[in-house]
DNA sequence: TTATTTATTGATCAAGTGATCAATTTTATA
DNA sequence: TATAAAATTGATCACTTGATCAATAAATAA
């Protein structure tokens, strides 16, 4: 008696195609263990797929890693760009600054709330890895939005030096990444009062810090 | 003819004892590759000792990793505590806030300038690793200073909620870690205008952002 | 000195790694 | 249908990993 060798993922709307299953599993495994800590066998097991299929679809570990970002980024990037476009049309400089910050922050901080989505954690991990320059993923993904954001910030901060503007931007991004990294430290230090999972409350708390900081500095 | 089997590191002031050589090498290798990306053989090669000696002195990879932090932290931790003690004696709330922030930030941001010192990069890496809770290193190292800092912040921010104070603290720490992580992004985005290696300039740039943010928010 | 503890060394182990292959099955195309 | 292309599978490759061992050398204590 033969084992039933049906292709498990084709037409199976519940879990999607094998390719999709692998991508989804890879995102979680990479987020939890980092690039080096993750193994293709972990990914394959989670996707319920033989190991060889992973390399077949993504040409190796690094290819899979890159593809996780390429698959997730368009959505987030589009949200941020759309928000920046709205901000660009706002005439009042103060309101424009607020809209810029919201456009940049909200799509990222919201990532954790999407069911089973670990892309935010993965992104924060990659951004804080000194080796990210070798991979070029961060540049590919963040540079367009970053330069657009800095350019837009410039219009609300007339008279500031380029360095001042970038420092302000880095403060925003650094804080954002730290909250995305899910170190659990905010909850720990505040005895539960600060919960980065609550995006609305987080924005309400940190936006005033940023705005006063940037305006006052 | 036998090979001369002298113990290479004993009494050798140039490179210190074998234990010290291993620790120094481990700091660099872990900083460059992360915990999972680093191998004991890389560490041993860099320290110019046989692999077995590493496990002998530090009881395995995790033990070595922990010891790197335990060895470096006392110095940095003492600097920060001393700065906080000075801040505590300052009566003027505004000046006290500035002293608190400097006490917390300067010892950390200065780490990169110490010759061949990669402890800052390593620390930032660990702090952004979601798995750091399993290891408990961050709590062991940061919690004392963190609670002291938050307690002191409270005295300069009368009327603020506990959450507000911790959010402000997290903004400072998140930005600090991002600048420590050596992603090279500040230099990249500012075309060289922002250089986290220049501690004085960095402090001059970001301290006003923090102070205005915290006071205004 | 001798005895004892501590360091150092090279070798080896089982387990896991990413990658690759030929064989098979499924899907798409003609 | 028949044929080609794409997808899936299990097996195997050479290699690296962390850990451990007994043997040796060195430092210390008696």
């Amino acid at each position: 008696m033969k084992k039933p060798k049906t292709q498990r993922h084709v037409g199976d709307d519940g879990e999607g195609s094998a390719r999709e299953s692998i991508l989804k599993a890879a995102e979680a495994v990479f987020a939890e263990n980092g690039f080096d800590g993750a193994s293709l066998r972990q990914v394959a097991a989670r996707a319920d797929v033989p190991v060889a299929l992973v390399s077949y679809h993504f040409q190796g570990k690094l290819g899979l890693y890159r593809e996780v970002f390429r698959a997730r980024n368009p959505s987030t990037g589009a949200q941020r760009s759309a928000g920046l476009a709205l901000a660009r049309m706002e005439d009042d400089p103060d309101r424009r600054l607020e809209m810029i910050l919201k456009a940049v922050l909200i799509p990222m901080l919201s990532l954790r709330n999407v069911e089973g989505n670990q892309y935010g954690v993965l992104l924060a991990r990659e951004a804080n890895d000194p080796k990210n320059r070798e991979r070029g993923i961060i540049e590919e993904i963040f540079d367009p939005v970053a330069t657009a954001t800095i350019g837009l910030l410039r219009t609300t901060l007339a008279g500031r030096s380029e360095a001042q503007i970038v420092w302000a931007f880095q403060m925003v991004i650094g804080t954002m990444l730290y909250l995305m990294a899910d170190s659990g430290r905010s909850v720990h230090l505040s005895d539960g009062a600060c919960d980065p999972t609550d995006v609305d409350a987080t924005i309400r708390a940190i936006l005033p810090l940023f705005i006063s900081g940037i305006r006052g500095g």
Side-chain angles (χ1 to χ4, degrees), chain A:
Chain A
M1 48 187 265
K2 275 187 185 175
K3 276 185 292 180
K5 288 191 177 181
T6 55
Q7 290 181 225
R8 284 177 287 219
H9 296 278
V10 176
D12 189 331
D13 284 338
E15 36 184 325
S17 71
R19 216 188 115 95
E20 293 298 317
S21 302
I22 295 171
L23 268 181
K24 197 174 165 187
E27 178 181 303
V29 173
F30 280 132
E32 287 167 12
N33 308 99
F35 180 76
D36 290 304
S39 81
L40 294 185
R41 281 168 176 82
Q42 284 177 280
V43 174
R46 192 148 178 163
D48 192 30
V49 136
V51 222
L53 199 54
V54 179
S55 288
Y56 170 78
H57 278 294
F58 300 97
Q59 293 84 40
K61 191 178 184 180
L62 186 57
L64 173 63
Y65 191 68
R66 309 190 97 95
E67 199 55 31
V68 172
F69 291 92
R70 292 224 173 94
R72 281 285 191 189
N73 185 52
S75 163
T76 313
Q79 291 177 48
R80 299 176 98 193
S81 297
L84 288 178
L86 288 179
R88 194 173 288 112
M89 300 188 309
E90 172 62 54
D91 288 325
D92 180 65
D94 285 332
R95 277 196 293 209
R96 196 189 316 156
L97 175 57
E98 180 176 338
M99 290 178 73
I100 294 170
L101 295 179
K102 281 185 176 174
V104 170
L105 292 172
I106 292 181
M108 289 298 181
L109 295 178
S110 302
L111 280 175
R112 295 226 310 220
N113 285 358
V114 182
E115 166 90 29
N117 188 335
Q118 305 216 237
Y119 178 56
V121 178
L122 177 58
L123 205 45
R125 220 193 242 273
E126 175 70 6
N128 282 292
D129 186 338
K131 278 195 164 180
N132 69 20
R133 271 171 290 181
E134 297 175 14
R135 294 189 274 266
I137 295 175
I138 292 299
E139 292 185 15
E140 176 185 333
I141 287 193
F142 277 156
D143 267 18
V145 176
T147 53
T149 305
I150 291 173
L152 210 43
L153 279 177
R154 216 176 280 129
T155 68
T156 70
L157 298 170
R160 306 295 182 91
S161 72
E162 193 65 16
Q164 283 177 301
I165 294 173
V166 175
W167 281 122
F169 178 72
Q170 294 294 72
M171 169 183 71
V172 174
I173 299 299
T175 305
M176 178 193 82
L177 289 173
Y178 188 54
L179 296 179
M180 287 166 61
D182 188 33
S183 73
R185 203 143 167 78
S186 300
V187 180
H188 173 60
L189 289 176
S190 68
D191 248 317
C194 300
D195 178 16
T197 296
D198 185 341
V199 179
D200 283 347
T202 302
I203 292 287
R204 264 199 310 276
I206 65 174
L207 222 61
L209 291 171
F210 290 152
I211 292 176
S212 300
I214 293 173
R215 280 278 169 246

